[in-house]
Amino acid sequence: MIAHLQRTSNTAGLLTYLYGPGERGNHTSPRLIAGDGHGAPIELLAEPDSLPYLAQALDTPVQRLGARAPEQPVWACSVRSDPRRPDLTDAQWAAVARRLVAATGVAPDGDPDACRWIAVRNQPRQVHVVATLAREDGSLHNPYRDAFHLQTECHRFAIELGHLPTAPHPMSRAQETHVPAPSITITAEPSGSVSAKGAGDDLSATLLKHAGFQQIEDWYGRRHRLPTTTPAADRAAIATHAAEMLRAARYGVDLDPSLDTARFSSSVNPLGPYTAGAELLRLTDRIRSAENGADLLQAVDHLLHPEHGALERVREALEAAGEQITDLDDEGHQLADRFDGAAEFVSSAQSELVGSEGELGRISNAQQSQAEVWERSSALSDSRSAALATSPAAAKVSSVLGAGATDVSVAVRPSQAPEPRTR
């Protein structure tokens, strides 16, 4: 299953398209299969001649927000299944839709203030989920990482349906460290475009998107390419920056020499004057490359510190922007309110994460304690073997059982040590 997420501002227009013939005339029998209107009769309104009223029912919480409403309050997700597999029934697609809105937080199970949403089918092997981001309590759903949660849930559902093999047994940490990272090739194509091949996992894909590459995901797999609108002068800088981030994450990178800025100039920041954004990207790289709880705690502290952390600086900047707008424009109150509202969201995020440093500290302490237990266990095992080797009783046993007694003691030793910790 593949999920595609997008945002729009026109609920009525989106519903007209979904219930219409489609761009290629391939929409057949449009129908509502699931949804939650929080009292609004969405089942009765989901007809071609009642779509404006259905859009109004979905948009009602957004309209209550007034000036605080986002410019694109409509959350639209299309999910397609593998054409090589049998199509799902309407009931199964409805279950998919409910799980997706629950997994993303758009409409968690049992939440009386969840966002309003509907699921529409108009093609085989596909479902469309439409929601408005305003919740019933007047707050807004934060769509950050929704795309990740969508694809994760689609993957789980495909495994349950038997479309994908089950996940392999987890490896121990010691085994993982010896697994070579995949090699990624960044090349300049004859057409002038820049492509990255071999980035099949989520981490490398995220790093490439941070650098500026565009992800293309279809039945042929996951690919990455710089947008065709990227200026020629920026292509090498972006490719070099992507290679540096991937190498920092221990990927092997084969970078086309014509794209390696280190060969012919000093390092170029692909974000240009946006140095603050570059600093946050470096902080993100530090967090992703943390090898233990202590490293992660130190990196996250730069994000969450109550006085000097990145979140606090973002909140201050948003507040300052709102104040400056009202100082420069007497008519700019609505725009200033939007910046103030954004500052409040950042403040809420800070409140949500209060105390998380302690949780991260426990991760570090747990790893250290596990290492100490392993060392003590190994020392105890070694001392026990030494005692047996020098014990008169052990000598008598050896004389009776012969050389096989040594093998017995060796076979017993591993059972005294704890199993290696798995991730």
Side-chain angles (χ1 to χ4, degrees):
M1 285 188 175
I2 294 178
H4 176 65
L5 181 63
Q6 58 185 345
R7 296 271 298 278
T8 184
S9 59
N10 189 346
T11 308
L14 177 59
L15 295 180
T16 300
Y17 167 76
L18 293 178
Y19 277 84
E23 294 180 356
R24 301 179 181 83
N26 54 351
H27 290 182
T28 57
S29 183
R31 57 199 181 276
L32 180 78
I33 61 170
D36 188 355
H38 288 276
I42 56 175
E43 294 82 2
L44 300 177
L45 299 176
E47 299 294 338
D49 56 350
S50 303
L51 296 182
Y53 302 102
L54 177 59
Q56 176 67 27
L58 293 174
D59 285 338
T60 297
V62 178
Q63 294 170 354
R64 295 189 196 126
L65 296 178
R68 293 196 302 113
E71 291 185 3
Q72 294 183 315
V74 185
W75 185 95
C77 172
S78 300
V79 184
R80 291 182 290 125
S81 64
D82 191 338
R84 298 168 296 183
R85 302 287 184 172
D87 195 5
L88 306 184
T89 65
D90 281 1
Q92 288 175 312
W93 277 119
V96 170
R98 292 189 184 94
R99 284 178 55 167
L100 293 183
V101 294
T104 56
V106 169
D109 293 335
D111 186 352
D113 296 319
C115 301
R116 300 187 181 191
W117 65 277
I118 59 171
V120 178
R121 289 204 68 195
N122 55 19
Q123 292 184 67
R125 297 185 175 85
Q126 192 168 20
V127 68
H128 302 276
V129 184
V130 179
T132 46
L133 296 181
R135 292 167 48 84
E136 295 294 313
D137 59 2
S139 62
L140 283 170
H141 166 68
N142 184 359
Y144 175 67
R145 290 180 64 82
D146 275 3
F148 170 78
H149 294 306
L150 284 170
Q151 202 55 54
T152 301
E153 195 64 25
C154 283
H155 186 81
R156 290 175 181 154
F157 206 93
I159 291 176
E160 293 173 12
L161 292 172
H163 293 184
L164 293 174
T166 56
H169 294 294
M171 295 184 297
S172 68
R173 186 62 181 265
Q175 289 174 309
E176 281 189 352
T177 56
H178 291 88
V179 176
S183 179
I184 298 171
T185 303
I186 303 178
T187 58
E189 299 179 351
S191 62
S193 178
V194 177
S195 64
K197 300 177 181 178
D201 60 300
D202 291 336
L203 175 57
S204 61
T206 301
L207 293 175
L208 285 168
K209 285 192 285 184
H210 270 309
F213 280 75
Q214 188 176 62
Q215 178 172 304
I216 303 171
E217 190 163 1
D218 52 25
W219 298 117
Y220 298 100
R222 180 182 290 177
R223 296 169 289 155
H224 295 83
R225 180 180 289 110
L226 283 185
T228 55
T229 55
T230 304
D234 295 341
R235 293 171 187 167
I238 295 175
T240 300
H241 183 59
E244 290 174 352
M245 289 195 295
L246 290 166
R247 286 167 179 158
R250 297 185 177 84
Y251 288 91
V253 181
D254 183 9
L255 179 62
D256 192 321
S258 65
L259 299 173
D260 191 352
T261 58
R263 289 175 175 263
F264 50 85
S265 67
S266 60
S267 180
V268 179
N269 177 14
L271 298 181
Y274 300 102
T275 55
E279 288 297 325
L280 286 177
L281 281 179
R282 278 191 281 273
L283 176 57
T284 302
D285 294 339
R286 282 189 59 188
I287 292 173
R288 291 187 183 281
S289 61
E291 296 184 349
N292 51 56
D295 290 347
L296 182 58
L297 176 61
Q298 186 178 21
V300 170
D301 180 64
H302 290 277
L303 183 67
L304 302 182
H305 192 278
E307 295 182 10
H308 309 296
L311 281 181
E312 176 61 16
R313 292 294 175 259
V314 170
R315 186 194 64 78
E316 291 175 350
L318 290 170
E319 280 189 352
E323 294 172 359
Q324 194 67 10
I325 288 170
T326 54
D327 290 342
L328 298 176
D329 183 6
D330 293 336
E331 304 296 329
H333 295 292
Q334 290 187 352
L335 181 59
D337 287 343
R338 288 166 57 189
F339 275 89
D340 291 340
E344 291 177 3
F345 280 119
V346 176
S347 181
S348 298
Q350 292 175 292
S351 300
E352 180 68 23
L353 295 171
V354 167
S356 58
E357 294 90 341
E359 298 291 335
L360 292 172
R362 280 194 286 274
I363 294 176
S364 177
N365 294 335
Q367 291 179 321
Q368 183 177 2
S369 299
Q370 182 68 18
E372 292 174 353
V373 169
W374 176 266
E375 292 176 359
R376 288 197 301 268
S377 177
S378 298
L380 178 62
S381 179
D382 292 341
S383 62
R384 183 178 299 165
S385 298
L388 288 174
T390 58
S391 170
K396 292 180 180 180
V397 172
S398 298
S399 64
V400 175
L401 298 180
T406 303
D407 297 335
V408 171
S409 65
V410 173
V412 171
R413 279 188 60 192
S415 65
Q416 310 297 328
E419 291 293 328
R421 183 179 178 183
T422 59
R423 296 181 66 184

